[in-house]
Amino acid sequence: MKILSLFDGISCGMVALERAGIQVERYVAYEIDKNAIKISQKNYPKIEHYGDVTTADFTQYKDFDLLIGGSPCQDLCSMGSHEGLKGKKSCLFFEYERALKEVQPKFFLLENNASMTKENRDIISRYMGCEPVLINSADFSAQIRKRLYWTNIPIREYEPKNMLIQDILQNDIPRECVTGKLIRYVFSGEYAGRKIEKTTRNSIRTPEQKSRTIGTCSYDISSNTGVCFKIGDEYYKPNQIEFERLQTLPDGYTSVLPIKKAVFGIGNGWTVDVIAHIFKGLNM
């Protein structure tokens, strides 16, 4: 198949295609984040990389089979600007819609955050010509991540996996201990009632739980998407491979970058096993 990927990020779509057993003749990626491109090139040097979707001539891809993309959600999601599809970033959905018209691929897949308003969801559905399917990454991974998928690919039924944090822990590589920060921000009472106390407390998960949604700032335990594991009597940040595993990426996939920059790309990416399950419908 020939694939056109918009907002390609770290090329989770390519990983998913491989995992689904789809043969790829060409994979053209539009992405502007240099660190994301660095991860993609390290893993898939044959991907054809281009930049800004707003300047692209999509008519050159009229013979392509599949259009994929997860347009920016910053103005759509519950923690975003709430400007919706009029927002500076989320309005880029209309570039995906333009590509869909100009390419007219056999198949398409669009992903976005499930916390958007019904109004915005209905607008996207009208342009896409179909209703979205809600899939929680918790059914495929150790991470809770509710996302909407607009697609004309038949989605097979599946049995949810009961994966927990304990299933993705890596015991032979150290992770950063943050017990001191937890004592100060959460348990000392010094920050009681302040935002940093609430956000840091909300980051804590035990191995018997699922992780909260991985975001671009999840390496910062005091951010709105911070992630912290309580293992025994201590508190730790996940290490880089554990972050990769939460998104069902291959171990070491983001090793070309230091952990904080890697987590930014991981948080912007897709849960690979969810996308691979959808792509299996291409073989039906």
Side-chain angles (χ1 to χ4, degrees):
M1 299 187 76
K2 295 180 182 179
I3 318 298
L4 176 60
S5 176
L6 309 189
F7 324 106
D8 184 65
I10 59 175
S11 298
C12 292
M14 185 65 182
V15 187
L17 286 161
E18 282 189 340
R19 206 165 284 181
I22 306 298
Q23 295 295 316
V24 176
E25 179 182 345
R26 287 183 68 190
Y27 187 105
V28 173
Y30 280 81
E31 177 56 55
I32 60 173
D33 185 280
K34 293 180 180 179
N35 285 324
I37 294 169
K38 190 178 293 186
I39 292 172
S40 175
Q41 289 177 330
K42 173 246 182 185
N43 291 280
Y44 297 106
K46 292 185 179 180
I47 286 179
E48 301 172 40
H49 283 278
Y50 299 96
D52 190 346
V53 295
T54 64
T55 62
D57 174 14
F58 295 127
T59 60
Q60 63 185 304
Y61 308 116
K62 277 186 174 292
D63 63 335
F64 274 47
D65 305 286
L66 173 63
L67 172 66
I68 63 175
S71 55
C73 68
Q74 289 91 333
D75 305 307
L76 292 167
C77 65
S78 59
M79 292 191 297
S81 71
H82 303 289
E83 293 180 0
L85 292 168
K86 296 178 181 178
K88 184 177 180 181
K89 294 184 177 180
S90 292
C91 71
L92 290 172
F93 156 73
F94 294 105
E95 296 300 325
Y96 183 98
E97 187 261 342
R98 177 171 69 88
L100 189 61
K101 283 183 177 179
E102 293 182 2
V103 178
Q104 297 183 352
K106 297 184 185 76
F107 300 101
F108 63 84
L109 172 65
L110 173 74
E111 175 265 3
N112 214 297
N113 199 297
S115 67
M116 70 173 65
T117 65
K118 183 179 184 300
E119 178 185 4
N120 286 310
R121 185 175 70 244
D122 289 346
I123 292 171
I124 294 174
S125 297
R126 187 166 67 249
Y127 279 103
M128 297 301 295
C130 65
E131 292 296 317
V133 175
L134 172 63
I135 300 179
N136 191 338
S137 293
D139 291 342
F140 291 84
S141 71
Q143 173 198 184
I144 296 169
R145 189 184 193 90
K146 295 180 180 180
R147 292 295 184 266
L148 297 173
Y149 299 92
W150 288 264
T151 185
N152 64 345
I153 302 171
I155 300 178
R156 301 177 179 181
E157 294 185 4
Y158 59 86
E159 288 291 330
K161 298 178 182 177
N162 189 28
M163 289 185 67
L164 303 173
I165 289 170
Q166 62 191 9
D167 299 314
I168 61 93
L169 290 179
Q170 190 179 38
N171 297 318
D172 55 345
I173 292 182
R175 58 182 70 82
E176 182 181 347
C177 183
V178 289
T179 301
K181 290 183 179 180
L182 267 291
I183 290 173
R184 181 184 179 193
Y185 295 149
V186 178
F187 305 122
S188 70
E190 180 181 354
Y191 293 89
R194 293 172 60 177
K195 182 180 179 181
I196 194 170
E197 186 271 338
K198 180 181 178 182
T199 54
T200 307
R201 183 184 295 277
N202 287 344
S203 72
I204 303 169
R205 297 293 185 274
T206 67
E208 296 76 27
Q209 295 177 298
K210 287 186 179 284
S211 171
R212 70 192 308 192
T213 302
I214 302 302
T216 56
C217 297
S218 287
Y219 194 63
D220 177 4
I221 61 171
S222 298
S223 76
N224 286 325
T225 59
V227 177
C228 174
F229 296 161
K230 184 179 187 296
I231 303 174
D233 295 325
E234 302 290 347
Y235 298 84
Y236 301 91
K237 292 182 181 182
N239 64 37
Q240 196 157 335
I241 286 179
E242 289 164 347
F243 273 113
E244 291 169 344
R245 289 177 178 178
L246 287 170
Q247 281 284 53
T248 64
L249 285 159
D251 287 3
Y253 188 81
T254 64
S255 62
V256 71
L257 294 180
I259 186 167
K260 190 171 183 178
K261 290 182 178 180
V263 171
F264 188 93
I266 293 168
N268 260 338
W270 283 341
T271 306
V272 172
D273 280 355
V274 174
I275 308 303
H277 177 76
I278 296 172
F279 285 162
K280 287 176 182 177
L282 293 167
N283 290 321
M284 294 178 70

